[in-house]
Amino acid sequence: VMKKAGRGTHGHIAIGTNYINRAIAYMEMLGVEFDEATAKKDAKGNLKAIYAKGEVAGFAIHLVQK
């Protein structure tokens, strides 16, 4: 449940990961592209979340650092 509409026609799916940079590298090897404009970083500049380009069955997919 979200307070306001987000990305994706039907919503979005978050995938939590312990190592977001490793997850991005692995998914890029599989052909997934990421939208750098959606990257969220913490005060130290560490990546905390990023959306993949496009949708899957109407859902936007994003990775989230645990």
Side-chain angles (χ1 to χ4, degrees):
V1 177
M2 295 173 38
K3 293 180 182 179
K4 59 182 182 175
R7 294 182 139 241
T9 305
H10 301 299
H12 70 271
I13 298 171
I15 301 172
T17 179
N18 291 326
Y19 303 100
I20 194 166
N21 292 321
R22 288 183 186 179
I24 291 168
Y26 179 75
M27 292 179 73
E28 285 178 336
M29 285 190 322
L30 298 175
V32 177
E33 294 180 19
F34 289 90
D35 185 357
E36 293 294 329
T38 65
K40 305 289 185 219
K41 298 184 179 187
D42 64 12
K44 294 181 180 179
N46 298 318
L47 185 62
K48 299 308 277 180
I50 191 167
Y51 277 90
K53 289 183 179 179
E55 296 181 0
V56 176
F59 290 91
I61 307 293
H62 69 106
L63 297 177
V64 180
Q65 176 69 43
K66 287 185 182 178

